[in-house]
Amino acid sequence: MHKTWSLLAGTTLLCLSSFAQADLVAVKGSADYWFTEGDANMAAQNQNDFSLDQEGSAQVALAIEHPVPLLPNIKLRYTKIDNQTEQTVANTPVYEIELENSDLILYYELLDNIVSVDFGLAAKNINADITQYGLGTTQIDETYPMLYGAVSAKLPFTGWSVSTESLVTDYDDARISDVQAEIKYDFIDNLLLDVGAKVGYRVLNIELDDYENSDRQFEFKGPYIGLDAHF
């Protein structure tokens, strides 16, 4: 699956570069450190959720925007989460979770000024290994279609901006929402390069009904800090 994502991403980037001139293409990248906590439940719906420890997770994103009519812009996002429950049995966590979340987003800019609005479609791949009581491991490797939306606003002449970004779906017994909001300050802002520091909050909620004869529910949430660049 990871090789397929890499090939798809590389092919898409090559296609974009063949359609648009380099001096008209905008590239946006970001790297964040996400302080995740939350809860997990892989048993019956009436069982209490198990709380997750607070752990640090990496999240990165790359977007390419271009002036080619009708061709969507592209954004790639990746998050890796390693976490475990606070509750233990014989000093072994109830759940140990290793999860990789990859998003391929195709979107259009509906507005691009002081206020920016993006809308599009996405594919979210969830690749996870969940170990229960240190014994059996459940594997999840699924890709789900998502709706994507983002809104941002700048405070002119200050370097400050606010933004929010959402991915949502209710498809084939899967309900997933991935929402984040942030405040950013550009400490480098010129015609060639913008670089900013940001702080935000992200909530990733995953509910899979009757997945391999059992319901799966995970919520990862918490603040993040990071840097982004636009050139």
Side-chain angles (χ1 to χ4, degrees), residues 150-201:
V151 179
S152 64
K154 299 178 182 179
L155 189 59
F157 313 114
T158 67
W160 290 96
S161 62
V162 295
S163 64
T164 183
E165 189 172 24
S166 302
L167 287 163
V168 295
T169 193
D170 188 345
Y171 173 80
D172 193 23
D173 294 326
R175 291 180 298 278
I176 303 172
S177 61
D178 190 351
V179 181
Q180 65 184 53
E182 65 184 38
I183 301 173
K184 186 182 70 167
Y185 176 72
D186 286 333
F187 53 86
I188 298 177
D189 187 0
N190 56 52
L191 293 177
L192 298 178
L193 176 66
D194 297 339
V195 180
K198 58 183 178 176
V199 59
Y201 196 90

Side-chain angles (χ1 to χ4, degrees), residues 26-187:
V27 179
K28 301 178 180 179
S30 67
D32 307 325
Y33 192 76
W34 184 22
F35 300 92
T36 59
E37 56 183 2
D39 53 62
N41 191 339
M42 293 180 57
Q45 289 185 349
N46 59 357
Q47 178 175 313
N48 292 332
D49 295 340
F50 293 96
S51 300
L52 298 175
D53 288 335
Q54 186 177 78
E55 299 286 349
S57 302
Q59 56 183 26
V60 294
L62 176 68
I64 296 182
E65 298 180 347
H66 59 86
V68 181
L70 302 181
L71 187 67
N73 303 301
I74 182 171
K75 184 171 186 176
L76 304 173
R77 301 198 315 176
Y78 174 81
T79 306
K80 181 175 176 60
I81 298 171
D82 290 323
N83 212 322
Q84 61 187 21
T85 57
E86 295 177 348
Q87 295 83 1
T88 63
V89 175
N91 294 322
T92 299
V94 176
Y95 300 138
E96 295 177 88
I97 302 170
E98 296 181 6
L99 183 145
E100 295 181 73
N101 175 179
S102 303
D103 298 318
L104 172 61
I105 303 167
L106 302 177
Y107 67 96
Y108 294 93
E109 290 185 300
L110 304 183
L111 288 176
D112 185 19
N113 209 307
I114 295 177
V115 175
S116 297
V117 178
D118 299 335
F119 183 78
L121 299 174
K124 176 181 285 292
N125 176 254
I126 297 171
N127 189 300
D129 290 333
I130 301 98
T131 303
Q132 297 177 263
Y133 304 106
L135 300 172
T137 297
T138 298
Q139 294 184 325
I140 300 174
D141 190 358
E142 300 289 344
T143 300
Y144 299 98
M146 310 284 289
L147 287 176
Y148 171 77
V151 179
S152 64
K154 299 178 182 179
L155 189 59
F157 313 114
T158 67
W160 290 96
S161 62
V162 295
S163 64
T164 183
E165 189 172 24
S166 302
L167 287 163
V168 295
T169 193
D170 188 345
Y171 173 80
D172 193 23
D173 294 326
R175 291 180 298 278
I176 303 172
S177 61
D178 190 351
V179 181
Q180 65 184 53
E182 65 184 38
I183 301 173
K184 186 182 70 167
Y185 176 72
D186 286 333
F187 53 86

